[in-house]
Amino acid sequence: MSEAPTPQTDAERIRLKRLAKLAGGSSNTPSTSNTPVASNTPTESFAPALAATGNPAPSTSSNTVITQKPVHPLSRTSAGQSQGSQSTPTSPSTARLAAGNNLAKAAARVVQSANPSPRTKQPAAPFAFEKWEEEAIQVVFGVALDKEVAHKGGLVWLKALQEEMIAESPDSPIRANSEIADRLLIGRLELDPEAMSDDQEQVSVLTSLPPNQTTFEYLVDCWKRLNAQRHVTLKKGLQPNDLEKVNALLEKLRDLIISYAGLTLQEPTMFPQPQTGKPLGAEELLPSLYALGTSTSVFSSSGDAGTLLDPGSEVEPFLIDIAKRFDKDGLEDVLGGVVRLVVFSPSLAGGMVHTTATLPMSISPTSWRSSVSALQCLFSIKQIAAMITGLPEWNPPVRDKDTTTGVKNGKEHEVGSILGMVMRLGIFARDWPAVLVGYYKDFDTMTASNREASDATLKSSLSFLRSSLFNIVNSVVRAGPEPREAFLAYVARVVQLNQKRAAMRFKYETQASDSFIHNLNYVLLRLAEPFMDAQYKQLDKIDLRYYEHSSRISLTDLTRINATPPEIEEWENGAGEAGPAPNFVSDVFYLLSAVNHLSTGPISSYISAIGRHVRDIKQQLEMMEKDESWRGGPAQAQVEAALKRGKEEVSKLHATLETIYVAILHDDFTSRCVGFASFVSVWLLRLVDPTKQHPRVTVALPLPEEVPLVFKVQPEYMFDDVVEFWDLMMKYKPTAFEFTGQKEIVDFSVAFLTSAWYITNPYLKSKLVTVLAIGVRPFRKHNQGILGGMLCTHQLSLNHLMMCLMKFYVECEKTGTHTQFYDKFQIRRDISEVMQSVWRDPTHRSVMENFTSNLQEFIKFANRLMNDVTFMLDELLTKLAEIKKLQQEMDRKEEWDALTQEQREDKISKLKSAESIVEPWIIYSREFLALLIEFTGTTKAPFVSGEIVGRLAAMLNYVLDQLAGPRCADLRAKDMDKYGFDPKETLTKVLQIYNNLSGEAAFVEAIASEGRSYRKSLFENALRIARNKVLMTSEELDVFEQFARRVEEVKQAMDEEDIEDFPEEFEDPLMATLMRDPVFLPTSKTTVDMSTIKSHLLSDPTDPFNRVPLKIEDVVPNLELKQRIDAFIAERKSKAAVARLASMEGGPDSTMDTTE
C-alpha cells in the first residue's frame, strides 16, 4: 500500500515554488459561498459567539442554510489531535482566549463602522469599502500592521512586515488591503513561535501567538472567520457595486487561505510549526473526518465531537473549497494522503467487530463507522471522488510474468485497493472470527431472545455499512465519465481475479472474501435498480453482444448454456466490426451477473459444506457415546475431552451459519436479489420467445424446436445462478417470494421443463424441480407452500406442468454424473412432491387424463415409478433387517465386550452406513407410494397394461410378503421413530393400491399368476393385521377381502390350465416362458414375446441381445410363429378340457379300488 506523501527536505524551495504559482492565478477559483446564509442569532450577538468559540458560522454553497452552533472554548484543545495519538493536548492559555475575544470584537466593529445602525430612520450612509476592507482583512487573518491596532484588537502585530513595507515606501500610508493580502498571510505564517530574539518587541509578538497552534489550525481558523465575516457583512443590504467588491475581496482571501491550507496538508514543514508532538499535515484533518461517524452530520447520527472543524456544518464545505481550488491542480497531492490514512487505517483493517484480544487500545470499537463516514464524505464531493479513482491504490494492476509489482490474486487486490478495504467489512465468521466471540459465544446454549438481539445488532451495522458503500460508489458513478469508467474497470478486475471462487473447491485465502463479494453484489444491485422496473420495460436496452463489444468479462473456458465450440465461433464471427461501446445499463447488468456468480453459488456450497461437517461430527460423537467401553478406563479423560471439543465445534459451526444467514437473508438484500433473479429469468425467456413479447404476452409453449443461438451462447451461470438463488431462498427464506417473484419462477420452470432440449445440463433442470418442490411444502400460514397457489392458478402451469414433470421423471434416469443412480431418486422425489401438491386441483387432473391418451408415454412414466417403488422398498426392508441384527449384537453386552476395538468399530460403522441409507430411502419410498396411490386411484389403464401389470403384481406381492409374511418381525428395530419408518403405514398404502386396482381383471390375473410371493395365507394374514390394527375402514377391508377371494379363485383356475411342457422354439429367450405374441428384433435377428420387449424398452431403449438402439416401432410381428403357438395352446387346452370332462363323467367308480 502507498504511504502519504513525504515532505521534501528543501521546504523553502517548495514554498517559493508554490508562492510563484499562487501569484499567477490563485484567485481564479470561485468560492463555495456566494450568498448570505441564515443564522439563529441576531447580528448583534455574533461577536460574543465568535469570542466564545473561535468557530464562526461557515460558508455554504448556494441555496444552503447552515446554522452555527456555539462550541465551548475548551473544545479547541484537541482540534489538531489525531485519534490514537499518544500526545497530550494542551489547554489554551489566557492569552489565546483573550486573542479570540478581541478578534470577535474586531469583527463586530468592522460591520458597525462600515454600516452604523441608526436609532431613527435616516438615509443609509454610503458603504466605506476601504475601511471595511482593511478591518476585514485584519480580522480574517488575525493580524495588524500597526502595533496599537494589534494591541487593541487582540491581533498579531506583523512587525517585520511593517518595517519591510515602510522601507519600501517611506512616504506612503501603510494599510491592509487586497493588494498585500498574500504578504500579510505569509507574514503571519512565517512567524516561528519557537524562535529566539533579542528584540523585545518581536518577543512580545511571538508570545501573542496562540500557544501550540499549528499552521493548519491557524488557517482553518482564518477560514472560519472569513465565513463569519461574509455572513455578517452580506446580511446588510449592500448596493450591487459594493456587493461585487465585497465578494471579490472575500473570494481572494478564501483562495489564499485554502491554497495555503492545502499546501500545509501536503507539506506541513513549509512554515514554522510548534514543537508539541502533534500530528501534522494530512493527519490534522482526520479527527474532523472521523467525527462524522458520531456527529449530527448527514453522514451519521449523534452529538458534537469538539473537533477543529464542526462535523455537522464545516467539514464538507471546507473539503468542497479544497476540492475546487486544487481540482486538476494537485488535488491528489493535497488529499491523497488523507484518503490513504483513512482507507488503510487500523480501524478499517480491524473490522466491524472486536474482542479484547483483537482490539488495539488506541482503536474505538465503533471506529470503523468513523472511517466509513469519512470516506463517504470525501467521495460525496465530485472532484475528490474523481481524484480518488485516479490514485494507484484505486485499482492495483495485476502482476504478470514480466513484472514484479502488482497483485497476484483476488485477496491481494481486495486488501490493496481503496474500495476493497472498506468493502471487505462484514459479519461473515469466515472473514471476521471475532463475530463469533462477540455475539454468538456458546451459540447452542444461547436463549432465543439473546440470539435475536445479536442478530438485530449485526443487521443494523450491516445496513449502515451497505448504505454507505452504495453512497460511495454512487458518488463515483455520478462524478463523471472517467470515474464511472474507473469503477467499471475495478469491478471487471475483481471478476477477473476471482474466477476460482466459482469452482467447487478453491483456496479461500487467495480469493476475495465473502464479505467483499456480497457487499459489491449489493452495491451493483442498487445501481441496477433504475432499469429493473416491475414491468421489465428496460429489457431491450441490454446489449445482446456485450461480450463481443466489451472486453470487461472474458468467457474463455466457461461453459455455455447449450452451445458447441463451432456455434460459439459462429456467434462471435457474426459480431462484425466493433460497434459502439455498451451502455451503462449493459455494463451493470453483465458485471452484476458475473459478481452474483461469485457470490450466490459459493456461499450456497459453503452452507452445504458446513451442514455436512456438522452431521459428520455429530455422528462421530454419537458413536463415541454409544461405545461405552472407555468409561472407567485410562482413556476416559481423553474421550471426555474429545466429546467436549466436538460439541464446542458444532456450536461454533452453528454460529458460523447464523452469521451467514444474517448477512444473506437481510430483508433489504434479499428483496433486491429477488428482483434481479426475476429480471434475469425474464430476460432469458425473452431470448427464446419467438415473438419477443414476453412478459407482456406470456411465452407460448412448447418453445420452437430450434434453439436460438443468442440463448445457446450465454454463459451457463446466467441460468444456473438464478435457479441457485431461488433454491437458496426457498430453503431459508421463502417469505422473500411472498409478494413478488412467484410468477417468474413458474414461467421459467415450466417453460424449460416443457422444452427440455433447450438445456443440456440435467443438473439445471433438476434444480428447477427442486425449487418447485420446496415451494409447495407447507410452512406457517401457507398450507400449499409459497408456490402452491400460483401453480394451481397460473395458466402456463395448468396447461403444461403435469406433462413436463412426467416426461422429466423418465428423462432423469441418466444425469451424466457418477452419482446418477442416487441423483435420480432425489429428483423423482421432488417431482412426486409437486405432483401430489397440485393433484387436488381438478384442472391439473383433467390435463393428466388428456396426457394418458398417449398411453405409451404414460406407461414409461408408470414403469419408472413402479421400478422406484420396488427398489426403494426392497432396499429399505433389507437394511432395516440388517440394522435390527446389528442392534441385537450390540445389546448382548458380554459378547460385545469380548470383541476387539477394531471389530466393534467395524460393526458400528456398518450400523451407521445402514442408517444413512435408510433415512433417505424411507422418505423416497413414502413419496413414491403416495404418488402411486394417487395415480392408480384415478388412472388405471397404464397400470394394467401388458408391459406393467405383471411387474406391478410382483412388486406388490413381494412387499406384502415383507410386511405381513414370516419375516415381518425383522422390521422391528429399536428407535423406529428415529428413522421415521412406520411398517403399519406402509402396509396401509400397499393395501390401498391393491384396492384401487381390484376391479381390473388383468390385475387380478397378474396377482394370481405371480409365482414368487403370492400365497393365500399371505393375503389372509395381511387382512388380519389390518383388522386388528384398524389400518383401514371396514368398507376398505371388505373390498380387499373380496379382492383376495377373487385372486384365489383365478389362481385355482390358472393352475388347471397351466402349460408347463412346450417346444423350445416357443420359449421366450429372456423370460423362459411360453410366448403368446412373438415378435422379431431386426437388429439381433432374435424372436421374443411382445410383452417382454415392451417391458425391456421402458427401461432400456436398446436391443437386449446386442445393445443396438431399438424402438418398439422397429420390431416385426412373427405371424407364422404366432399361428403355430396359438394352435399349440388351443390343442393343449382342448386336451385339458377332455381330461377334465372324462374325470367328471367317470365319477367315484372310475377310480381304482384299493380297499381290498
Side-chain angles (χ1 to χ4, degrees):
M1 100 182 42
S2 301
E3 299 293 336
T6 304
Q8 299 183 14
T9 55
D10 192 355
E12 181 63 20
R13 180 176 62 81
I14 293 296
R15 183 177 72 85
L16 293 176
K17 179 180 177 181
R18 293 293 184 185
L19 289 176
K21 189 173 185 180
L22 290 171
S26 63
S27 60
N28 294 330
T29 305
S31 166
T32 61
S33 303
N34 296 319
T35 59
V37 295
S39 172
N40 286 342
T41 58
T43 305
E44 289 76 15
S45 64
F46 170 75
L50 178 61
T53 65
N55 293 332
S59 67
T60 65
S61 302
S62 299
N63 303 320
T64 303
V65 177
I66 298 180
T67 302
Q68 173 63 33
K69 296 188 297 184
V71 182
H72 192 278
L74 296 183
S75 64
R76 179 60 57 81
T77 59
S78 60
Q81 197 75 16
S82 104
Q83 291 186 358
S85 173
Q86 300 300 317
S87 61
T88 303
T90 305
S91 300
S93 66
T94 304
R96 169 75 188 272
L97 186 58
N101 288 331
N102 291 335
L103 284 174
K105 294 175 182 178
R109 287 198 303 271
V110 170
V111 179
Q112 292 173 0
S113 62
N115 292 284
S117 302
R119 295 185 179 180
T120 59
K121 290 187 177 181
Q122 296 179 1
F127 180 67
F129 175 75
E130 289 76 11
K131 183 178 181 181
W132 174 88
E133 177 187 42
E134 180 177 14
E135 294 188 3
I137 293 175
Q138 290 175 348
V139 169
V140 170
F141 289 162
V143 299
L145 292 173
D146 182 84
K147 179 179 179 181
E148 187 66 22
V149 172
H151 177 71
K152 290 181 178 180
L155 308 175
V156 175
W157 176 32
L158 298 182
K159 179 176 182 293
L161 180 60
Q162 180 189 29
E163 294 173 348
E164 181 182 326
M165 295 183 66
I166 291 174
E168 292 174 359
S169 304
D171 299 328
S172 301
I174 300 175
R175 58 181 294 271
N177 56 43
S178 62
E179 294 180 0
I180 64 168
D182 54 342
R183 297 181 66 182
L184 291 168
L185 185 56
I186 293 175
R188 170 63 179 83
L189 293 174
E190 287 182 333
L191 292 177
D192 185 359
E194 307 292 335
M196 305 295 292
S197 176
D198 295 331
D199 186 343
Q200 291 301 315
E201 288 187 330
Q202 184 64 20
V203 170
S204 66
V205 169
L206 298 179
T207 57
S208 69
L209 296 175
N212 301 327
Q213 186 183 52
T214 66
T215 300
F216 183 71
E217 289 173 345
Y218 163 72
L219 290 169
V220 169
D221 279 350
C222 291
W223 179 81
K224 293 181 179 182
R225 291 193 291 268
L226 174 72
N227 291 332
Q229 188 69 49
R230 173 185 174 81
H231 173 72
V232 174
T233 302
L234 299 187
K235 198 172 182 182
K236 301 295 182 179
L238 300 179
Q239 296 298 317
N241 291 339
D242 294 331
L243 183 61
E244 182 178 355
K245 290 187 291 184
V246 167
N247 280 334
L249 175 66
L250 293 177
E251 291 310 309
K252 180 173 183 177
L253 298 183
R254 183 184 304 280
D255 195 64
L256 286 172
I257 294 169
I258 290 298
S259 296
Y260 282 107
L263 296 177
T264 302
L265 288 174
Q266 176 188 354
E267 186 67 49
T269 58
M270 175 177 288
F271 295 104
Q273 299 277 15
Q275 304 301 313
T276 61
K278 285 184 178 182
L280 299 176
E283 288 186 74
E284 294 187 75
L285 193 55
L286 295 185
S288 298
L289 286 172
Y290 287 151
L292 292 167
T294 55
S295 76
T296 54
S297 74
V298 295
F299 303 103
S300 59
S301 65
S302 62
D304 191 351
T307 52
L308 183 62
L309 288 163
D310 180 77
S313 59
E314 294 177 341
V315 172
E316 186 178 9
F318 181 79
L319 290 174
I320 290 174
D321 282 348
I322 289 282
K324 287 187 174 182
R325 166 60 187 86
F326 290 97
D327 186 29
K328 311 298 183 184
D329 189 23
L331 185 59
E332 176 182 341
D333 297 330
V334 174
L335 290 180
V338 175
V339 173
R340 293 183 180 95
L341 286 173
V342 175
V343 168
F344 300 107
S345 63
S347 59
L348 282 186
M352 295 169 59
V353 180
H354 299 281
T355 64
T356 305
T358 62
L359 181 64
M361 293 298 293
S362 59
I363 304 298
S364 165
T366 58
S367 57
W368 67 271
R369 288 178 178 265
S370 300
S371 298
V372 171
S373 297
L375 287 174
Q376 189 177 349
C377 179
L378 289 166
F379 274 98
S380 69
I381 301 167
K382 286 187 176 182
Q383 298 91 331
I384 299 178
M387 177 273 293
I388 294 175
T389 60
L391 294 175
E393 297 87 351
W394 171 258
N395 193 12
V398 179
R399 183 184 305 181
D400 56 36
K401 60 181 180 180
D402 299 324
T403 62
T404 57
T405 59
V407 297
K408 294 184 294 184
N409 52 51
K411 177 61 71 175
E412 290 188 1
H413 185 259
E414 174 187 314
V415 300
S417 64
I418 291 173
L419 269 185
M421 282 300 295
V422 65
M423 279 197 173
R424 66 193 296 266
L425 296 174
I427 62 171
F428 287 93
R430 181 155 58 164
D431 306 329
W432 306 103
V435 176
L436 300 181
V437 179
Y439 288 89
Y440 299 113
K441 187 175 178 61
D442 300 326
F443 180 81
D444 286 347
T445 59
M446 288 179 67
T447 63
S449 59
N450 286 341
R451 289 185 189 179
E452 291 172 0
S454 295
D455 291 351
T457 302
L458 291 177
K459 285 178 181 178
S460 175
S461 297
L462 208 55
S463 295
F464 170 81
L465 172 66
R466 287 174 172 171
S467 177
S468 299
L469 291 175
F470 169 70
N471 290 336
I472 289 173
V473 170
N474 193 44
S475 297
V476 171
V477 169
R478 295 178 180 276
E482 291 183 4
R484 182 186 304 119
E485 174 60 30
F487 171 71
L488 296 174
Y490 177 82
V491 179
R493 186 159 294 169
V494 169
V495 173
Q496 171 195 352
L497 291 171
N498 290 282
Q499 287 296 328
K500 292 181 180 179
R501 272 186 63 93
M504 293 185 64
R505 293 181 179 84
F506 64 94
K507 291 183 178 180
Y508 187 73
E509 61 273 12
T510 67
Q511 299 294 286
S513 64
D514 293 333
S515 300
F516 172 85
I517 291 294
H518 277 77
N519 287 333
L520 181 58
N521 195 18
Y522 174 83
V523 167
L524 290 170
L525 285 169
R526 291 284 301 272
L527 289 179
E529 271 185 348
F531 64 81
M532 290 197 309
D533 60 296
Q535 289 74 37
Y536 304 104
K537 295 178 180 179
Q538 310 296 321
L539 284 172
D540 294 331
K541 290 187 177 181
I542 297 174
D543 187 350
L544 299 182
R545 287 195 173 274
Y546 179 85
Y547 299 112
E548 290 74 47
H549 293 162
S550 172
S551 60
R552 298 195 200 281
I553 301 174
S554 173
L555 298 183
T556 305
D557 300 328
L558 289 181
T559 304
R560 310 299 179 97
I561 290 179
N562 195 359
T564 62
E567 288 174 327
I568 296 173
E569 184 177 357
E570 176 189 349
W571 173 258
E572 293 175 346
N573 293 338
E577 297 182 1
N583 55 41
F584 185 66
V585 170
S586 297
D587 278 323
V588 173
F589 175 77
Y590 286 99
L591 286 173
L592 174 54
S593 298
V595 171
N596 186 59
H597 180 51
L598 305 178
S599 169
T600 303
I603 202 64
S604 180
S605 299
Y606 185 44
I607 291 173
S608 299
I610 293 177
R612 290 192 298 269
H613 191 30
V614 168
R615 287 193 296 271
D616 291 343
I617 295 177
K618 285 184 174 180
Q619 287 181 355
Q620 292 175 5
L621 294 177
E622 188 177 350
M623 289 173 61
M624 293 169 65
E625 290 174 338
K626 279 189 175 181
D627 181 14
E628 298 185 350
S629 60
W630 50 269
R631 295 190 185 278
Q636 179 170 341
Q638 183 178 356
V639 174
E640 288 177 344
L643 288 170
K644 181 180 178 182
R645 287 195 302 271
K647 292 175 181 178
E648 290 174 349
E649 181 65 16
V650 168
S651 180
K652 181 179 177 181
L653 291 172
H654 286 158
T656 300
L657 285 174
E658 187 71 10
T659 66
I660 296 174
Y661 298 151
V662 171
I664 69 172
L665 302 183
H666 193 287
D667 290 341
D668 184 40
F669 184 67
T670 55
S671 63
R672 300 179 194 282
C673 289
V674 168
F676 180 67
S678 297
F679 187 86
V680 176
S681 70
V682 171
W683 179 73
L684 288 172
L685 273 180
R686 175 75 70 89
L687 294 184
V688 299
D689 180 12
T691 68
K692 305 302 178 187
Q693 296 298 309
H694 185 81
R696 291 190 297 272
V697 179
T698 304
V699 62
L701 299 180
L703 296 171
E705 288 292 331
E706 184 176 354
V707 183
L709 189 57
V710 65
F711 175 79
K712 282 186 171 184
V713 298
Q714 296 303 318
E716 190 178 73
Y717 68 71
M718 297 285 283
F719 192 107
D720 187 17
D721 291 339
V722 170
V723 185
E724 186 72 35
F725 170 75
W726 285 340
D727 177 70
L728 190 65
M729 288 298 103
M730 285 295 179
K731 289 177 180 175
Y732 301 106
K733 193 177 182 180
T735 52
F737 303 105
E738 196 161 15
F739 303 108
T740 183
Q742 295 181 32
K743 180 180 182 298
E744 287 79 5
I745 293 175
V746 174
D747 282 344
F748 194 77
S749 301
V750 174
F752 288 110
L753 287 174
T754 300
S755 306
W757 61 92
Y758 273 64
I759 307 298
T760 57
N761 187 347
Y763 168 80
L764 297 181
K765 289 179 278 191
S766 69
K767 271 291 185 183
L768 287 174
V769 176
T770 300
V771 169
L772 296 179
I774 302 174
V776 298
R777 292 172 188 167
F779 80 99
R780 297 182 187 172
K781 63 181 180 180
H782 300 276
N783 296 328
Q784 293 180 285
I786 202 71
L787 291 180
M790 182 63 66
L791 289 175
C792 292
T793 56
H794 190 354
Q795 197 59 46
L796 210 62
S797 170
L798 293 172
N799 292 342
H800 302 281
L801 180 62
M802 292 297 291
M803 185 179 298
C804 70
L805 289 178
M806 289 183 189
K807 287 184 176 180
F808 189 51
Y809 194 102
V810 176
E811 292 175 7
C812 71
E813 182 73 18
K814 296 181 179 179
T815 61
T817 65
H818 67 284
T819 58
Q820 65 181 8
F821 179 77
Y822 298 98
D823 292 342
K824 68 180 180 183
F825 294 122
Q826 177 61 54
I827 297 171
R828 288 171 177 170
R829 182 247 177 153
D830 291 338
I831 292 175
S832 68
E833 274 195 86
V834 181
M835 284 183 166
Q836 290 180 71
S837 175
V838 301
W839 189 248
R840 303 177 188 90
D841 184 77
T843 308
H844 278 293
R845 287 200 297 272
S846 66
V847 172
M848 176 70 176
E849 293 171 0
N850 294 332
F851 185 71
T852 56
S853 62
N854 186 347
L855 191 58
Q856 287 303 315
E857 289 296 328
F858 186 80
I859 285 175
K860 291 181 182 179
F861 162 73
N863 177 68
R864 298 292 188 191
L865 177 60
M866 187 189 64
N867 287 347
D868 291 341
V869 173
T870 303
F871 174 80
M872 284 293 168
L873 290 176
D874 186 29
E875 283 288 301
L876 172 60
L877 299 175
T878 301
K879 290 299 180 182
L880 284 173
E882 181 181 342
I883 289 173
K884 181 179 180 180
K885 180 181 178 183
L886 289 168
Q887 288 176 341
Q888 289 174 339
E889 291 181 11
M890 296 175 69
D891 288 341
R892 293 192 287 269
K893 185 169 178 58
E894 293 184 1
E895 296 179 13
W896 179 256
D897 292 341
L899 298 176
T900 64
Q901 181 67 24
E902 183 178 354
Q903 289 173 326
R904 287 196 297 267
E905 290 178 356
D906 180 60
K907 290 186 180 294
I908 292 175
S909 176
K910 288 180 179 179
L911 176 62
K912 290 300 176 187
S913 176
E915 289 178 337
S916 66
I917 293 175
V918 160
E919 291 176 10
W921 267 203
I922 289 173
I923 297 173
Y924 297 158
S925 62
R926 184 186 298 122
E927 295 293 340
F928 296 155
L929 271 176
L931 194 59
L932 196 56
I933 290 173
E934 295 283 0
F935 286 156
T936 55
T938 58
T939 311
K940 306 179 189 303
F943 296 98
V944 296
S945 64
E947 301 94 320
I948 296 292
V949 68
R951 300 172 67 183
L952 177 60
M955 181 270 290
L956 290 173
N957 288 350
Y958 171 75
V959 174
L960 188 65
D961 189 26
Q962 299 291 316
L963 296 172
R967 294 182 295 174
C968 64
D970 294 341
L971 305 179
R972 297 170 186 164
K974 291 194 303 184
D975 302 327
M976 293 297 286
D977 292 341
K978 169 185 175 182
Y979 311 119
F981 178 69
D982 184 356
K984 297 190 295 295
E985 177 190 5
T986 305
L987 176 60
T988 303
K989 290 181 177 180
V990 171
L991 296 180
Q992 185 64 53
I993 296 173
Y994 279 117
N995 280 1
N996 287 347
L997 298 174
S998 61
E1000 303 296 323
F1003 180 68
V1004 174
E1005 183 178 342
I1007 293 294
S1009 62
E1010 192 276 316
R1012 177 186 178 189
S1013 303
Y1014 174 74
R1015 300 182 306 279
K1016 179 182 177 181
S1017 59
L1018 174 61
F1019 278 66
E1020 291 174 343
N1021 193 45
L1023 182 60
R1024 180 183 57 80
I1025 294 174
R1027 287 191 189 280
N1028 293 341
K1029 301 296 183 181
V1030 194
L1031 302 182
M1032 307 174 77
T1033 66
S1034 58
E1035 292 80 4
E1036 290 172 331
L1037 291 172
D1038 290 342
V1039 171
F1040 182 74
E1041 185 176 16
Q1042 294 172 14
F1043 167 71
R1045 188 180 302 117
R1046 287 185 57 200
V1047 169
E1048 183 59 25
E1049 292 172 356
V1050 172
K1051 171 66 174 173
Q1052 293 177 4
M1054 292 176 66
D1055 288 344
E1056 295 177 357
E1057 297 180 0
D1058 188 26
I1059 303 175
E1060 296 182 352
D1061 183 20
F1062 49 83
E1064 185 177 349
E1065 62 176 323
F1066 296 167
E1067 183 181 68
D1068 186 294
L1070 289 178
M1071 304 302 294
T1073 57
L1074 176 65
M1075 292 186 290
R1076 303 297 179 111
D1077 185 12
V1079 293
F1080 180 74
L1081 307 184
T1083 57
S1084 62
K1085 314 299 182 185
T1086 306
T1087 297
V1088 297
D1089 194 74
M1090 174 62 87
S1091 63
T1092 300
I1093 193 61
K1094 275 186 175 181
S1095 180
H1096 169 79
L1097 292 178
L1098 289 175
S1099 302
D1100 187 355
T1102 62
D1103 188 317
F1105 298 98
N1106 59 14
R1107 316 309 298 171
V1108 174
L1110 179 68
K1111 296 180 180 179
I1112 194 64
E1113 295 83 2
D1114 298 332
V1115 303
V1116 180
N1118 193 332
L1119 299 179
E1120 186 272 333
L1121 182 60
K1122 178 172 173 44
Q1123 290 176 355
R1124 289 194 287 135
I1125 291 174
D1126 290 344
F1128 172 77
I1129 293 174
E1131 180 184 357
R1132 282 298 182 93
K1133 285 185 176 181
S1134 177
K1135 290 181 179 179
V1138 170
R1140 285 198 303 274
L1141 182 60
S1143 174
M1144 293 174 61
E1145 291 177 349
D1149 295 337
S1150 65
T1151 60
M1152 183 179 296
D1153 187 359
T1154 58
T1155 58
E1156 297 183 357

